[in-house]
């Protein structure tokens, strides 16, 4: 029986996620409803993607009895309230990253999911790409020996986007782009907390962080270094260095389609979209969707690849880096 998806928000990311779902077998994944803040937007989205139901409020989607799981694609300041709406309605949830604005909000979301006995996962899509699966396999088999260093940089100019210029819309590099670097490092170091964090950055007058550099030190003298930027185009690559070899993600580190393992390059091509995408490699969201389906079929409430503990770790690191750089959101004072 197909997993029946409800799409919350008719924006760019929801478009790509819906396109990605259509690359999977229709007998396994179906989009049955979409909700937006305006019925007109929901109807236009539904028409574009051949979705049978369109709602002009998220509350209506929460009440739909024919939904197995909701994909939450609203902008991140609204993740907290939107996730709580659906978890309290006993709906399983896949929520875009960052899961919320700070540790308190993430904890409340996870507590609600547990209380209501529903599945919840932060949509860290990168973790589910075949290239990421291969990285974890190589590390588990000690192909690199002992990993000593992880270096990653991710920077893309985003200041043309309204949400990247307004703090009330969640503007800021650490939680928008830095989350990709933090999750990659945390994946390599298997969810371990660093012993120390040293962060510095450049902020606009409004307190919006533009470019940030971070050094994390882990046990046994292991390091991780990352740079993230929402104003500069960086190399967007990563390297994992061990005592016996290296793994390089040569490009598009947030959606990797190739790996260089000790000089041997392997390609991991993505399926073609049936509609133009908003973002590069958007059909790669198919892998996180399939993870959700497999978890639901097994009756799981969280994914072992992106568990709740990892969501807590990510937000705790984001909060500390923000503290050091001097980035404060209105949600922090609540």
């Amino acid at each position: 029986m197909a997993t029946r998806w409800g799409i919350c928000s008719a924006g760019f990311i929801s478009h790509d996620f819906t396109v990605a779902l259509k690359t999977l077998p229709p007998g396994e994944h179906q989009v049955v409803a979409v909700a937006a803040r305006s019925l007109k937007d929901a109807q236009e989205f539904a028409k574009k993607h051949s979705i049978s139901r369109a709602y002009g409020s998220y509350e209506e989607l929460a009440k739909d009895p024919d939904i197995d799981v909701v994909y939450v694609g609203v902008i991140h300041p609204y993740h907290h309230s939107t996730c709580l709406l659906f978890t309290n309605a006993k709906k399983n949830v896949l929520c875009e990253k960052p899961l919320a604005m700070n540790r308190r909000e993430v904890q409340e979301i996870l507590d609600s999911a547990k209380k209501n006995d529903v599945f919840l996962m932060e949509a860290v899509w990168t973790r589910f790409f075949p290239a990421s699966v291969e990285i974890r396999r190589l590390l588990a088999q000690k192909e690199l020996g002992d990993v000593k260093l992880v270096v990653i940089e991710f920077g893309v100019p985003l200041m043309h986007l309204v949400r990247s210029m307004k703090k009330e819309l969640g503007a800021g590099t650490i939680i928008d782009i830095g989350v990709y670097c933090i999750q990659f490092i945390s994946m390599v170091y298997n969810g371990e907390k660093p012993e120390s964090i040293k962060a510095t950055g450049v902020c606009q007058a409004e307190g919006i962080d533009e470019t940030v550099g971070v050094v994390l030190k882990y046990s046994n003298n292991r390091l991780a270094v990352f740079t993230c930027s929402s104003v500069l185009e960086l190399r967007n690559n990563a390297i994992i260095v061990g005592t016996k070899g290296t793994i390089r993600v040569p490009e598009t580190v947030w959606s990797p389609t190739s790996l260089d393992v000790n000089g041997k390059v392997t390609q991991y091509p993505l399926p073609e979209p049936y509609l133009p995408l908003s973002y590069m490699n958007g059909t790669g969201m198919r892998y996180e969707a399939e993870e959700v389906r497999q978890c639901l079929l097994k009756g799981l409430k969280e994914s072992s690849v992106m568990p709740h503990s990892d969501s807590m770790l990510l937000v705790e690191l984001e909060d500390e880096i923000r503290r050091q750089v001097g980035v404060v959101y209105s949600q922090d004072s609540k």
Side-chain angles (χ1 to χ4, degrees):
M1 186 174 173
T3 299
R4 300 168 300 177
W5 290 88
I7 306 296
C8 176
S9 171
F12 294 136
I13 196 77
S14 294
H15 166 84
D16 283 10
F17 184 77
T18 305
V19 171
L21 282 176
K22 295 289 181 73
T23 69
L24 294 163
E28 296 180 6
H29 294 268
Q30 291 179 0
V31 180
V32 299
V34 59
R37 286 176 297 177
S38 94
L39 181 59
K40 182 171 176 282
D41 289 346
Q43 289 171 335
E44 288 177 359
F45 190 98
K47 183 178 179 182
K48 182 187 291 185
H49 295 283
S50 303
I51 301 169
S52 59
R53 297 175 217 173
Y55 298 121
S57 73
Y58 303 155
E59 288 78 11
E60 290 172 276
L61 182 61
K63 292 174 184 174
D64 190 324
D66 299 324
I67 302 292
D68 296 317
V69 57
V70 176
Y71 170 78
V72 174
V74 300
I75 59 174
H76 35 272
Y78 298 100
H79 285 179
H80 176 254
S81 59
T82 309
C83 281
L84 293 181
L85 170 69
F86 291 115
T87 53
N88 286 328
K90 311 292 186 185
K91 290 284 188 281
N92 301 303
V93 173
L94 172 66
C95 178
E96 265 309 328
K97 81 222 113 5
L99 183 54
M101 298 298 288
N102 56 30
R103 187 189 190 281
R104 175 189 59 80
E105 288 195 342
V106 168
Q107 187 67 66
E108 288 176 3
I109 291 170
L110 298 180
D111 287 349
S112 177
K114 187 173 184 180
K115 184 182 83 172
N116 289 289
D117 196 32
V118 294
F119 174 87
L120 184 133
M121 188 176 90
E122 184 175 4
V124 181
W125 65 318
T126 316
R127 287 230 174 156
F128 303 95
F129 274 62
S132 298
V133 175
E134 178 63 5
I135 288 172
R136 292 195 295 274
R137 186 190 71 81
L138 292 167
L139 294 177
Q141 294 188 354
K142 291 283 190 178
E143 293 287 334
L144 301 189
D146 297 323
V147 174
K148 293 294 185 181
L149 176 67
V150 182
V151 181
I152 178 171
E153 59 179 64
F154 183 16
V156 287
L158 294 176
M159 287 303 169
H160 60 286
L161 301 174
V162 173
R163 70 171 180 84
S164 296
M165 298 173 65
K166 295 192 175 184
K167 205 155 191 189
E168 63 270 23
L169 299 182
T173 301
I174 295 165
I175 64 171
D176 197 14
I177 291 180
V179 62
Y180 284 99
C181 302
I182 298 167
Q183 81 79 22
F184 184 88
I185 292 163
S186 299
M187 180 186 78
V188 172
Y189 286 142
N190 208 25
E192 185 178 325
K193 287 187 179 181
E195 293 180 344
S196 68
I197 303 169
K198 298 286 173 57
T200 189
V202 176
C203 295
Q204 298 176 359
E206 300 85 358
I208 298 170
D209 49 312
E210 292 184 347
T211 301
V212 175
V214 183
V215 179
L216 304 103
K217 186 176 181 182
Y218 289 81
S219 62
N220 299 316
N221 294 318
R222 295 169 297 154
L223 289 178
V225 182
F226 78 84
T227 309
C228 58
S229 179
S230 56
V231 295
L232 304 173
E233 182 77 42
L234 300 180
R235 289 176 296 183
N236 301 332
N237 59 8
I239 182 169
I240 305 167
V241 184
T243 53
K244 294 181 181 177
T246 61
I247 298 173
R248 296 176 191 271
V249 182
E251 58 186 0
T252 63
V253 69
W254 71 95
S255 55
T257 56
S258 64
L259 280 185
D260 178 335
V261 182
N262 296 325
K264 181 184 177 185
V265 178
T266 304
Q267 302 293 332
Y268 301 89
L270 296 172
E272 289 298 313
Y274 72 93
L275 287 173
L277 294 165
S278 307
Y279 304 105
M280 183 183 292
N281 295 343
T283 53
M285 286 193 276
R286 72 199 302 265
Y287 303 115
E288 66 180 358
E290 182 56 25
E291 171 72 6
V292 171
R293 173 173 167 78
Q294 293 305 317
C295 288
L296 294 180
L297 289 173
K298 294 170 187 170
L300 301 176
K301 304 306 176 185
E302 59 184 299
S303 161
S304 62
V305 179
M306 189 58 215
H308 294 173
S309 58
D310 277 23
S311 288
M312 285 303 299
L313 176 61
L314 294 191
V315 76
E316 286 171 358
L317 296 180
E318 290 158 15
D319 282 1
E320 175 57 22
I321 293 165
R322 284 200 296 116
R323 187 190 68 78
Q324 292 187 28
V325 175
V327 179
V328 180
Y329 293 105
S330 61
Q331 290 86 352
D332 296 331
S333 61
K334 294 176 182 175

